Every structure is written in C-alpha cells, then in structure tokens.
Amino acid sequence: MARTMARTIVGIDVGTSKICTIVGQIGDGRRLNILGVGMVPSRGIDKGVVVNIDDAATAIEAGLEKAERASGLRINHAFVGVAGRHISSLNSRGVAAVQNPDGITRQDVARAVEAAQLVALPTQREIIHVIPRTYVIDGNDGIRDPIGMSGLRLEVETHIITGEAMAIQNLIRSVERAGVQIDDLVLQPLAAAEAVLSDDDKERGVMLIDIGGATTDLAIFAQGGVWHTGVIPVGGQHFTNDIVYVLHTPPNTAEYLKLRYGSAIAGNPPAPGDESDLIDAETLTVGEKQQISAYLLKQVLQARAEELIELIVAEARRSGYEGMLPSGIVLTGGGAQLSRFDDLLRDDLGLPVRIGIPGGLGGLTDSLDSPAYATAVGLLRWGVRYGGRPPEQSSSDDTSSLYERFRRWLRELLP
C-alpha cells in the first residue's frame, strides 16, 4: 500500500536530557505506525527551559536529521512538547447565554470556553491549553457533551495551563530555527497520557507521574478529563547528581550505576566482608578506579526517591483531588526506569502503581519499548486525536501566533 502523506505526524520531545523526534503515520484502523526515530542528547536546555537558542536548535536539528534518514521523509511540521518549572495551571469557569432556542450549538460552547479564558494573568504569561472538563446547563451539572441539549444558560468548567511567555517563545524560536513549524505545543504530561493511559483510566480517576531529567510532571484525570496539573522541581538528574556527590564518580558513570545497580529500596545491609556488595567504578580523577558499595548506592537513591514521593503527595493534596484515584498511579518518563521506585511509591501511598510504556504501535517500535518515550509517542497520538498537518502543506506566510492557531483549533474541535 502506498504511503499517504496526508496522515503523517511528527512529534518532538524537547527534554532536559534528550531530544527525541518520532515520525508516525496512521494506518488501517487508525493504527499508528512508526516510520522513524531520532534521539540525541539535549543541548541548550536546563530544567526543561531553553537557555541557549543556538545550541537547542542545533540539537533539535540533529534529531530531525536522524528521524528523516530513518523515515525517508522531509520534516517541516511537528507537535512539540513543552514543560519546565515555569508551567502553572488553574481552573476557571465560563458562562454564555444560549442563543438558539432549538438547542446548544458549537458556537455557544465556544463562547463559554472563551469566557473561561478571561482570567487575570501576569503580562509575562501565556495560555498554552484551555481544556473543557464538564458543563452545566441551567444549574444541572455533570454534562459531558452539551451540543443539541436545551437550556438558557451554559457554563463550562475548564483547566487552563499557562507558561512564561519568554520560555515559550524561546522554545518556538529554537524549533523554528531548526526548520520546523509547530502544529501545536502540548504540555508533556498531557502528551504522555495519550500514550500510556486508557479512556477507562481517565474516567475512573488516575494520577500520571512523568519523571523527566530535571522535573517531575504530574497530571490528575477524573471523569474523563484533566483536573489538575503540576510541576515538581526534582527529576532523574537529581538522583544522578546525588551519586556523583556522595560516591565521587563522573556523571556518565553515575548514570550507568543508577540504571544498572540502583534501586529505590536499599533493602538489608550486607554482611561484613561481603565482597559481592562491591562494584568497580571510575573516580573523578581520570584513570583511577574505586570500589563502591551497592548498598550505599541504593541508600543514596532511596533518600532522593523518598523526597520525591513526599513532594508528589504534597502536590496531590494541594490539588484537592487525591481521593479521586481508584485507578491509582501510572509512572512514566525516563526516571520511571529506576528499579523498585514503583514499589516504594505503592508502599508509601497505598495505591495501585504501574509503569506506563507506549503500546499499540506498528512499524519501528523496538526502540520505543520504554517509559522514556511516552511523551514523544504521546505527541503523535495527540496529533492523531486532534489532527495533523502533512509536511507539504506548510506555508511560509503563516505568521499568526501559536495561541491564535490554538483558538481556531479549539473552535473546530469542540464536541
């Protein structure tokens, strides 16, 4: 069967530790087939924020080139993930009078959603997402789809996600400098949710925890929609840095030790003289070797893991929705690969916990069988759900802002 460019979608996950570009295509039955993957180390990114546009653009371009060689396609449009400590969220309600006596229309819903956006924001912040959660018609709440229903007054409860304008614009400039126009900016935990959560999870109530390089992103879903999002300033690099400082190893060695021998639960200490507890490792002095204790390594990691769990619990309590999680917790992101972190989280919170790995894919999937790729795969699924634009449809004279494009997209896709 000939490939059709009309259904080709590209996702770029711009993270603190890696930049991952994935090219996908919608096959028969809306199955997502992976055509190419390009992953490179990040440059110019710190704590999820672009700090050097030239370096970030160079790294993004390198990932694009790898994905293009693998897929055989030229990439000039993509869905791009956004994250970082500058992200914040709030819930807002909008109201609109129903104009059509025959029933509520899309235009009524769009006006209610637009009214919800009229919140006081500092001048340095921009809206990234306005997500309708539920509707109220003439005081009757819990309505999922108001189109065609009768009523005089329509209210909508929305979840609004914002970011610092400078951080957003620097990310956009970095991607565009690499020769790519942005179809949509997508909050990374929302993208990851598309890859690892089912509709039933979101309906029953679930917390997604996406452990990235410098931050941990959290999203709580209930009744089919997102109810809370948050960012915790602790990620996988903090675990690695702890090993560097305590065990005096280079960062690359520390990362290897974390993934190869590490655990979030230290367990019982070794018996005196037990040489099986010792691991050969490099020191910070080039050419020198040392032996470190595997038990000490795990103690270091457990201390940081317990701190992260405390912050997760605090964020969940701050949201007020910690009691809405019968489906428990889904862990994803590169930091979710730390051995037994899921067990520690399960023991501390008393909730079901599982590792979220992207699935249901065709094509080149071998390299994506890891929670580290949830966001990149989720960006493709976001494009499948909300519509992608093929590379050849790009327009050099499209100078409208990303937010204005989002508002048009919102009006087109409201249920």
Side-chain angles (χ1 to χ4, degrees):
M1 181 180 293
R3 291 179 178 174
T4 168
M5 294 294 289
R7 303 301 293 165
T8 300
I9 300 172
V10 179
I12 305 177
D13 174 14
V14 183
T16 300
S17 58
K18 72 179 189 307
I19 295 175
C20 183
T21 301
I22 300 183
V23 182
Q25 193 174 75
I26 304 172
D28 295 337
R30 295 180 67 82
R31 181 179 176 85
L32 185 59
N33 295 313
I34 304 301
L35 304 181
V37 179
M39 188 177 71
V40 297
S42 284
R43 293 178 56 194
I45 311 290
D46 184 38
K47 299 181 178 64
V49 175
V50 174
V51 294
N52 186 308
I53 291 179
D54 289 337
D55 286 349
T58 299
I60 292 169
E61 190 171 5
L64 289 167
E65 289 176 356
K66 285 189 174 183
E68 287 176 340
R69 285 198 301 268
S71 65
L73 300 176
R74 178 77 175 95
I75 298 171
N76 50 31
H77 273 273
F79 291 84
V80 177
V82 59
R85 295 180 62 176
H86 66 100
I87 299 294
S88 64
S89 65
L90 69 155
N91 296 323
S92 178
R93 176 171 291 207
V95 181
V98 178
Q99 296 180 337
N100 191 336
D102 295 331
I104 295 171
T105 65
R106 289 173 179 256
Q107 288 73 27
D108 296 321
V109 174
R111 287 187 296 105
V113 171
E114 191 163 359
Q117 301 175 38
L118 301 177
V119 293
L121 293 176
T123 55
Q124 71 272 22
R125 299 198 69 80
E126 289 186 8
I127 293 176
I128 301 173
H129 293 290
V130 181
I131 305 171
R133 301 193 311 185
T134 186
Y135 299 90
V136 181
I137 301 176
D138 294 343
N140 299 302
D141 59 10
I143 295 170
R144 303 291 183 85
D145 183 0
I147 302 298
M149 299 184 71
S150 298
L152 299 176
R153 174 186 169 93
L154 174 66
E155 300 175 61
V156 59
E157 295 182 1
T158 65
H159 186 67
I160 298 177
I161 298 169
T162 70
E164 288 184 1
M166 181 177 295
I168 293 172
Q169 291 304 317
N170 286 340
L171 175 60
I172 293 172
R173 288 172 183 169
S174 298
V175 175
E176 291 182 344
R177 189 170 293 186
V180 174
Q181 294 297 310
I182 298 177
D183 287 320
D184 195 7
L185 279 183
V186 185
L187 186 69
Q188 288 186 4
L190 298 186
E194 293 291 321
V196 301
L197 297 184
S198 67
D199 290 340
D200 286 342
D201 289 331
K202 296 177 183 178
E203 184 68 30
R204 289 191 296 264
V206 67
M207 180 192 298
L208 176 82
I209 299 174
D210 183 357
I211 307 176
T215 62
T216 294
D217 300 318
L218 180 149
I220 295 176
F221 297 83
Q223 300 176 19
V226 58
W227 288 74
H228 178 76
T229 52
V231 180
I232 296 170
V234 175
Q237 286 186 353
H238 293 81
F239 289 81
T240 303
N241 291 340
D242 289 346
I243 299 172
V244 173
Y245 295 143
V246 175
L247 300 179
H248 309 294
T249 65
N252 289 342
T253 300
E255 182 70 17
Y256 169 76
L257 293 172
K258 179 180 73 173
L259 296 177
R260 177 67 177 84
Y261 300 101
S263 173
I265 298 178
N268 297 321
D274 183 0
E275 294 187 358
S276 65
D277 178 60
L278 299 179
I279 304 170
D280 292 327
E282 295 180 359
T283 70
L284 291 172
T285 302
V286 177
E288 289 189 1
K289 299 287 186 179
Q290 65 174 328
Q291 286 190 320
I292 64 172
S293 165
Y295 177 67
L296 177 58
L297 170 69
K298 294 173 185 178
Q299 282 185 307
V300 171
L301 293 172
Q302 181 172 341
R304 179 64 77 172
E306 289 174 343
E307 180 204 17
L308 177 55
I309 290 174
E310 288 178 2
L311 295 172
I312 290 170
V313 171
E315 181 67 22
R317 288 175 177 165
R318 188 177 71 84
S319 75
Y321 304 120
E322 71 273 19
M324 302 171 60
L325 307 172
S327 286
I329 295 172
V330 176
L331 274 176
T332 195
Q337 298 175 99
L338 175 61
S339 175
R340 303 203 67 187
F341 185 82
D342 54 335
D343 294 332
L344 184 64
L345 190 62
R346 186 182 300 110
D347 292 343
D348 285 358
L349 272 64
L351 291 170
V353 179
R354 74 174 193 268
I355 304 296
I357 298 175
L361 303 171
L364 306 176
T365 62
D366 292 345
S367 61
L368 301 179
D369 187 23
S370 165
Y373 300 102
T375 294
V377 172
L379 288 168
L380 298 187
R381 293 205 180 280
W382 183 280
V384 171
R385 184 184 292 266
Y386 300 115
R389 179 162 49 167
E392 70 267 24
Q393 289 183 1
S394 63
S395 173
S396 60
D397 59 357
D398 182 7
T399 57
S400 61
S401 71
L402 185 69
Y403 179 48
E404 288 302 319
R405 297 205 302 271
F406 171 73
R407 292 181 66 181
R408 295 199 301 271
W409 165 86
L410 179 68
R411 289 192 176 96
E412 292 173 359
L413 293 179
L414 282 169

